[in-house]
Amino acid sequence: MSAIDELFQQLKSEGKKAFMPFVTAGDPNLEFTAAMLERLDAEGCHLAELGIPYSDPIADGPVIQASYTRSLQGGTKLNSIFSMASEVTAEISMPIVTMVSYAIIYRMGIDEYLQQAIDAGISGAIVPDMPVDESDELAAKCKSLDFSLIQLITPTTPRDRALQIAKQTTGFIYYVSITGITGERTELPSDLADNLRWLRSVTDLPICVGFGISKLEHVEVLKSVADGLIVGSAIVRRIAAAANDQSNKEEVMNDVGGFAQGMLAAING
Amino acid sequence: MTSHFLPEPSPDASLPDGKGRFGEFGGRFVPETLIAALDQLETEYYQSRNDPAFQTELDVLLRDFVGRPSPLYFAKRLTEHCGGAQIWFKREDLNHTGAHKINSTLGQALLTIRMGKKRVIAETGAGQHGVATATACAHFGIPCVIYMGEEDIRRQQPNVQSMKMLGAEICPVTTGSRTLRDAVNQAMRDWMSSVAETHYILGSVVGPHPFPLIVRDYQAVIGRETIRQSEERFGRLPDAVVACVGGGSNAAGMFYPFVAETDVPLVGVEAGGESDQPGRHASSLTFGKPGVLHGSFSYVLQDEDGQTDDVHSASAGLDYPGVGPEHSHWKSTGRVEYRSCRDDEALSAFDLVARNEGILPALETSHAIAKGMEVAKERGKDEVVVICLSGRGDKDAGEIQRLKNEAAARRT
Ligand SMILES: Cc1ncc(COP(=O)(O)O)c(C=O)c1O
């Protein structure tokens, strides 16, 4: 059983939901990312998504795009991300999964990527530009290594296809709340809860919802129909303040920590 | 009426395969959000190929609106200058809007209507695809938004003006290198949100399946006409065929009908920029490796971490770090030879054709001409080399003058 399976089993037995923050590796530098992950763990976050910066992200809005650009301009490399991760995962209890483009995995080689990620204590991967039709090889290798391959289902996914995706997925299903790119939204689609209820009725996997979530009101709507919530841009936007002015690192850390506390309280309070 | 312009049973009907692969290349590496739209596009496209009403409508447009067939022209003085094989130009520059791009945008605009979509987006580098998209959309009354990098807006001003006059909205792209690659990113992000109502008219044989298939098929009119015209003029096929390769659409359209004619050598010409150093050229097939970019597995210029390299070309339409997957397949099977042409070689070819033939070729096209002349010099006087004259160069006049002034300033 993978660390992610264990996490959701435990949450289920406690009747709790997961809060899963997203941070970009190396924004503004890897020391900051390491400290941020430790802080999020200390706040009680259940899992972190570590965004591997990519030069051409298609599914990301301006906030996460800009964080990728900052990180790459700062010289972040894949091997330094893995070194940072291996130090951090030794210290913290929340599992980490990478959000990573298939362009990056392919270039390194699937086997090499998985080996390095596992050596660094990483528990799974979300590959936003690899649809289920292209995922056979990666999914088979992940399964044999007990490394979770979290696949995405979106509002445009036909239901028969959603079933097929659920079959290939391990860890949890990432349900994309909106038809669009990442970024904070004031409102979420009105049929979101219904779609999640349908998905709940056809799979036993945990279902976590991401894209657009940023507000306590979103949590209220979603906590009864999802097993976890993923928040990206609302956190990355706060971290951007540290990128512009390194002297307020503590302040940014507290800002994000406070935001995470609020979300955690709303989810499980 | 018999269709002269439309996809006929292909010489290699098995490619792409059911997963959109040309050999190992191609596929669909895009977010799940777009998959349903790509499936719809594929289904509608295959249905439209068997729909006589659709075919006739496109046929008539290509004849009466675009002006097809485009002539096959003997470049007599250029041939004398080179002293080798006869050089013939396939005159795509004489199409309405001045390049091959219109062959694909009219077909895709008809598909947009067929799918019931109400809005079009497109990316453009040189602006030719943007103009051709804006033209097709004006013709059918479809609102359209064109994404264009700021650097390309600067160097292709005439096309920017035309697009505006045709009623298109131009969205300047300010991220990354502010060129074609970034314009594709931005168009794809728009499509992620607008996909239910919007069709993305991709400008080349790149991107996820079925775009490389659809754009190639619409551009294949170039190669089919060239075969027919060669048989009429020479009583046989040409001895070599040359085309420039940005994403690779004019080359794919020219080459595809020739692929089964294995006696005819095919030469694709990539942008060699200023040097072989990473970042100073845009020759993905010559210097790149197989990898993933913009939804497709193909040759790409990347660093060891999979981050896309910066690229350079004087020509906006070739300034792109990737290439269509079918070209990667043709490279790996050896069916097409790919050469790389430097900025200065292309500029010299531009001058030569302007002064000896009375034709201003596009800077993109000038790359094909430079290497086409090389191919002609390697061959005997009774042989025929056809170069795809993919577009006209009026759009480049200002930028070419600026580059010349810069070069002159460096010399003094
Ligand atoms: C005249 C002309 N030729 C060639 C190209 C390169 O595109 P492709 O390789 O898709 O034909 C362009 C692109 O803008 C163009 O405008």
Side-chain angles (χ1 to χ4, degrees):
Chain A
M1 205 193 316
S2 82
I4 297 173
D5 298 334
E6 276 170 30
L7 167 71
F8 281 101
Q9 220 169 53
Q10 194 194 334
L11 285 171
K12 195 172 180 183
S13 70
E14 293 168 359
K16 284 186 173 169
K17 310 282 178 173
F19 175 64
M20 306 152 79
F22 168 99
V23 293
T24 293
D27 173 32
N29 53 54
L30 286 168
E31 296 77 71
F32 184 91
T33 306
M36 192 80 247
L37 289 170
E38 281 164 14
R39 175 65 178 260
L40 291 165
D41 180 61
E43 297 291 354
C45 295
H46 302 98
L47 183 149
E49 268 180 43
L50 185 61
I52 307 299
Y54 176 48
S55 54
D56 297 82
I58 296 302
D60 284 305
V63 170
I64 292 178
Q65 274 176 55
S67 74
Y68 282 180
T69 305
R70 282 193 297 272
S71 174
L72 291 173
Q73 278 174 353
T76 305
K77 292 299 225 178
L78 211 42
N79 55 12
S80 51
I81 295 174
F82 285 133
S83 326
M84 181 277 291
S86 62
E87 283 170 27
V88 172
T89 52
E91 302 296 321
I92 65 176
S93 60
M94 65 174 181
I96 289 183
V97 301
T98 51
M99 171 78 98
V100 55
S101 168
Y102 189 60
I104 293 171
I105 297 180
Y106 180 83
R107 174 57 69 233
M108 181 173 245
I110 292 178
D111 294 320
E112 178 71 13
Y113 184 88
L114 293 177
Q115 200 50 58
Q116 294 231 14
I118 288 166
D119 289 349
I122 289 166
S123 308
I126 304 166
V127 190
D129 51 4
M130 193 177 62
V132 66
D133 326 75
E134 300 283 359
S135 72
D136 287 353
E137 186 187 359
L138 183 61
K141 287 180 168 166
C142 288
K143 234 172 217 150
S144 74
L145 294 166
D146 209 7
F147 185 81
S148 299
L149 181 63
I150 296 129
Q151 303 218 35
L152 299 98
I153 295 177
T154 74
T156 62
T157 308
R159 290 193 164 179
D160 54 343
R161 186 176 162 86
L163 295 177
Q164 188 198 342
I165 296 173
K167 275 209 194 79
Q168 276 270 31
T169 297
T170 50
F172 62 90
I173 290 172
Y174 191 135
Y175 189 84
V176 177
S177 66
I178 48 154
T179 302
I181 53 181
T182 59
E184 298 170 61
R185 304 292 200 282
T186 27
E187 279 180 41
L188 297 177
S190 53
D191 56 356
L192 177 58
D194 284 343
N195 287 335
L196 288 167
R197 265 182 224 109
W198 172 78
L199 195 55
R200 175 76 298 152
S201 73
V202 295
T203 178
D204 292 330
L205 280 166
I207 301 168
C208 300
V209 184
F211 278 45
I213 297 169
S214 54
K215 294 188 175 329
L216 295 175
E217 301 91 89
H218 299 155
V219 178
E220 284 314 308
V221 182
L222 292 171
K223 69 178 183 186
S224 61
V225 284
D227 302 299
L229 300 185
I230 302 155
V231 173
S233 295
I235 287 172
V236 174
R237 171 171 59 80
R238 290 175 162 86
I239 291 175
N244 300 331
D245 175 7
Q246 300 275 353
S247 68
N248 62 4
K249 199 179 128 188
E250 270 319 300
E251 223 172 285
V252 168
M253 209 62 86
N254 291 334
D255 185 22
V256 175
F259 174 74
Q261 272 172 23
M263 294 301 267
L264 279 161
I267 289 174
N268 287 322
Chain B
M1 118 185 208
T2 57
S3 174
H4 291 301
F5 306 123
L6 288 161
E8 288 156 12
S10 64
D12 190 353
S14 63
L15 295 184
D17 67 16
K19 286 188 125 186
R21 297 277 185 154
F22 303 86
E24 63 178 311
F25 301 102
R28 275 184 186 171
F29 295 92
V30 291
E32 172 62 22
T33 301
L34 299 178
I35 297 295
L38 295 172
D39 280 341
Q40 178 195 21
L41 180 60
E42 184 184 14
T43 305
E44 294 281 352
Y45 173 66
Y46 280 123
Q47 284 173 1
S48 75
R49 286 216 300 209
N50 298 319
D51 176 350
F54 184 96
Q55 299 288 338
T56 303
E57 190 171 3
L58 182 51
D59 251 12
V60 170
L61 278 171
L62 289 173
R63 186 190 63 201
D64 299 344
F65 188 63
V66 177
R68 302 209 70 92
S70 70
L72 186 64
Y73 160 83
F74 179 40
K76 184 160 172 287
R77 295 189 62 215
L78 191 67
T79 298
E80 283 163 6
H81 176 89
C82 292
Q86 291 178 27
I87 298 173
W88 291 70
F89 291 158
K90 176 61 175 164
R91 296 291 304 273
E92 293 298 301
D93 61 319
L94 293 179
N95 294 340
H96 180 41
T97 71
H100 64 292
K101 299 287 184 185
I102 190 96
N103 301 330
S104 147
T105 61
L106 286 171
Q108 289 201 58
L110 283 172
L111 285 176
T112 305
I113 296 164
R114 191 184 172 88
M115 292 186 291
K117 295 199 167 177
K118 304 277 181 261
R119 173 177 172 264
V120 156
I121 53 173
E123 86 298 340
T124 195
Q128 287 301 131
H129 178 64
V131 168
T133 301
T135 298
C137 288
H139 179 83
F140 291 112
I142 310 169
C144 86
V145 174
I146 310 285
Y147 289 92
M148 187 170 189
E150 268 190 338
E151 166 64 5
D152 294 337
I153 288 179
R154 180 194 66 72
R155 56 182 167 170
Q156 307 278 239
Q157 260 305 309
N159 279 340
V160 176
Q161 301 306 336
S162 302
M163 284 185 266
K164 285 185 183 156
M165 282 175 207
L166 290 159
E169 182 190 329
I170 315 270
C171 271
V173 178
T174 55
T175 47
S177 52
R178 297 171 294 119
T179 57
L180 182 53
R181 155 195 164 198
D182 311 285
V184 174
N185 286 338
Q186 214 47 38
M188 287 208 173
R189 289 177 194 131
D190 179 316
W191 209 30
M192 286 282 290
S193 308
S194 63
V195 61
E197 290 280 294
T198 297
H199 176 57
Y200 177 12
I201 298 193
L202 237 170
S204 193
V205 287
V206 299
H209 177 66
F211 285 110
L213 159 75
I214 292 176
V215 177
R216 175 203 70 194
D217 281 355
Y218 286 141
Q219 293 295 356
V221 63
I222 304 173
R224 278 198 304 276
E225 283 179 8
T226 302
I227 287 179
R228 204 170 54 243
Q229 289 163 327
S230 298
E231 281 165 349
E232 279 163 20
R233 296 273 184 137
F234 323 123
R236 61 184 176 89
L237 295 177
D239 300 290
V241 178
V242 183
C244 68
V245 178
S249 68
N250 85 91
M254 178 57 112
F255 294 165
Y256 182 60
F258 281 100
V259 164
E261 309 290 346
T262 49
D263 293 341
V264 182
L266 306 172
V267 180
V269 184
E270 301 191 282
E274 289 169 349
S275 82
D276 295 355
Q277 294 305 307
R280 302 318 304 155
H281 62 79
S283 298
S284 332
L285 290 161
T286 310
F287 298 113
K289 289 197 192 116
V292 171
L293 176 67
H294 291 153
S296 173
F297 177 65
S298 193
Y299 275 75
V300 58
L301 294 163
Q302 284 180 336
D303 73 8
E304 73 284 359
D305 272 5
Q307 309 293 346
T308 310
D309 278 343
D310 284 338
V311 290
H312 165 82
S313 170
S315 135
L318 305 184
D319 199 358
Y320 183 68
V323 68
E326 196 163 20
H327 286 287
S328 294
H329 175 61
W330 288 335
K331 176 188 161 84
S332 73
T333 61
R335 179 62 190 91
V336 180
E337 177 202 347
Y338 294 92
R339 300 189 188 183
S340 177
C341 170
R342 294 264 164 92
D343 286 346
D344 54 357
E345 294 175 272
L347 287 165
S348 306
F350 174 91
D351 276 347
L352 208 60
V353 172
R355 285 159 192 235
N356 287 285
E357 294 294 343
I359 295 171
L360 298 182
L363 254 180
E364 293 75 20
T365 313
S366 300
H367 289 71
I369 297 171
K371 292 294 148 179
M373 289 171 8
E374 228 175 68
V375 171
K377 286 177 194 163
E378 294 157 8
R379 296 181 166 269
K381 284 190 195 308
D382 50 355
E383 297 194 40
V384 169
V385 174
V386 174
I387 301 173
C388 184
L389 208 96
S390 58
R392 58 193 290 169
D394 309 52
K395 66 179 179 66
D396 296 312
E399 180 66 1
I400 287 175
Q401 194 52 54
R402 194 188 67 79
L403 290 170
K404 282 186 175 170
N405 294 347
E406 239 179 45
R410 269 201 304 272
R411 277 195 300 273
T412 56

